[in-house]
Amino acid sequence: MTYIRIQHPEHFHGLPVHTPAPSLPLPAADAVAWRLECDYDEQTDFGVLWQQFLDTVDTARVRALVIGPWWREEYTPFAPVVELIVAHADRFPALRGLFLADVVGEECEVSWLRMCDITPVLEALPLLEEFTVRGCGQEGLGLRPIRHTALKSLRFESGGLPGDLVRAVASSELPALERLDLWFGSSWYGADATVEDIGPVLSGGTFPRLRHLGLQNSEIQDEIAAAVASAPVVAQLETLALSMGTLGDTGGEALLNGQPLNHLSSLDLRHHYLTGPVLDRIRAACAPAVVEGDEAEEDYGDPDDEPERYVAVSE
């Protein structure tokens, strides 16, 4: 079984990620994506770290922020970080990219991150263009339907995305949205979204500028593939990702029997349970689109029973 190893991004919002340190000179405020994280060895509270950042960097020119681990010893709730961002939103008029909870497994499992409702961040930053959030619903991750006219990229990386959050995304007014990625995750960690929850997205009328759609890391990947096969939104897409989940031949056949996908530049099917012949047929049918699909994952469980299949990111 292959798990996707979440890693810290080297670039975010088109900028190199920079973590300030006392021993390093400060780059120009608009030249990097600033990564703020609590260093376990230094034992500095995030509130103190945040104030130091406000005092030493020209935040009026900051274009991108990445929030890493925000606790010192015990995992603490994310809500105080959201409160700080909202309280000082006026200090960041140039901010266009924000990544909340850039935390990897060595620091904390994604399902342990103690998240919160992140809607106030979007409300406080009406010019934000790229928003990425990591975390699971069982630890409080939430979103309310919102209207945001500048957001171009929205990404939720989760091992257990709650259905109410998915419904909130689908109910939001995001007229500029070009990229949407949803990692659904495992029911063991709070994933309870259904295909019906993404119905407004699949209809094509919700996000008129959408060019990339990622419906990934799902235990219902076959059902999602079947819905995508006839979804009007596909005609407007340039790239499509159905990777990281339990996609098997049932979903593969649905894609083959559905609308043409050869207008895409790429179809991402990595981490799948397709047999070789079905994957080969998908590649042939989608040409000249690039179909990304590595070797199939192994089914677990009793061969006489339903196979056990796993998403790439859960705990």
Side-chain angles (χ1 to χ4, degrees), residues 135-282:
C136 285
Q138 67 175 8
E139 289 293 344
L141 180 61
L143 175 73
R144 300 187 306 276
I146 188 172
R147 174 173 171 77
H148 195 292
T149 59
L151 197 65
K152 296 180 180 180
S153 175
L154 179 60
R155 182 179 180 90
F156 285 97
E157 298 182 354
S158 180
L161 204 60
D164 57 359
L165 186 147
V166 175
R167 291 188 291 274
V169 170
S171 300
S172 293
E173 294 182 57
L174 307 173
L177 195 69
E178 298 173 359
R179 299 183 62 87
L180 175 63
D181 288 281
L182 301 174
W183 292 12
F184 291 89
S186 166
S187 57
W188 286 99
Y189 297 99
D192 59 1
T194 66
V195 170
E196 288 72 23
D197 293 333
I198 58 172
V201 177
L202 297 179
S203 72
T206 302
F207 305 132
R209 296 190 181 181
L210 197 67
R211 297 297 177 264
H212 166 82
L213 179 60
L215 303 173
Q216 301 160 269
N217 199 48
S218 175
E219 294 177 329
I220 58 169
Q221 206 73 56
D222 280 344
E223 295 176 45
I224 289 174
V228 165
S230 60
V233 72
V234 172
Q236 71 189 61
L237 299 179
E238 296 173 358
T239 55
L240 173 64
L242 302 175
S243 55
M244 302 172 60
T246 61
L247 182 68
D249 283 356
T250 299
E253 292 288 352
L255 292 175
L256 287 166
N257 293 325
Q259 62 191 305
L261 299 176
N262 55 5
H263 68 287
L264 299 172
S265 62
S266 70
L267 171 62
D268 186 358
L269 301 180
R270 289 173 295 179
H271 185 100
H272 63 84
Y273 294 85
L274 296 161
T275 58
V278 172
L279 180 58
D280 289 343
R281 288 168 56 206
I282 292 173

Side-chain angles (χ1 to χ4, degrees), residues 110-121:
V110 65
S111 63
W112 299 354
L113 297 174
R114 300 179 63 186
M115 301 305 291
C116 64
D117 184 350
I118 47 81
T119 314
V121 174

Side-chain angles (χ1 to χ4, degrees), residues 25-48:
L26 290 177
D30 57 358
V32 299
W34 295 88
R35 187 174 193 273
L36 303 183
E37 64 176 4
C38 286
D39 189 319
Y40 182 82
D41 294 329
E42 293 186 10
Q43 297 289 295
T44 302
D45 287 329
F46 187 85
V48 174

Side-chain angles (χ1 to χ4, degrees), residues 1-7 109-110 159 183 185-186 188-189 217 219 244-245 270-273 294-295 297-298 300 308-315:
M1 178 168 50
T2 301
Y3 286 101
I4 301 296
R5 185 170 179 266
I6 295 176
Q7 297 178 315
E109 299 293 352
V110 65
W183 292 12
S186 166
W188 286 99
Y189 297 99
N217 199 48
E219 294 177 329
M244 302 172 60
R270 289 173 295 179
H271 185 100
H272 63 84
Y273 294 85
D294 44 17
E295 186 176 345
E297 300 299 312
E298 181 181 352
Y300 288 80
E308 293 183 33
R309 296 177 175 179
Y310 299 89
V311 298
V313 175
S314 53
E315 184 179 17

Side-chain angles (χ1 to χ4, degrees), residues 18-20 26 33-39 42-60 62-72 78-93 95 97-101 120-121 124-125 128 131:
H18 173 78
T19 303
L26 290 177
W34 295 88
R35 187 174 193 273
L36 303 183
E37 64 176 4
C38 286
D39 189 319
E42 293 186 10
Q43 297 289 295
T44 302
D45 287 329
F46 187 85
V48 174
L49 183 71
W50 179 260
Q51 190 59 52
Q52 291 173 346
F53 180 67
L54 296 182
D55 292 341
T56 57
V57 174
D58 182 4
T59 58
V62 169
R63 296 162 56 197
L65 271 177
V66 178
I67 306 298
W70 58 91
W71 61 88
R72 289 194 304 154
F78 194 70
V81 179
V82 166
E83 292 168 4
L84 287 171
I85 295 171
V86 171
H88 297 101
D90 61 338
R91 298 281 301 270
F92 295 89
L95 189 66
L98 180 60
F99 189 153
L100 300 183
V121 174
L125 298 169
L128 197 67
F131 191 39

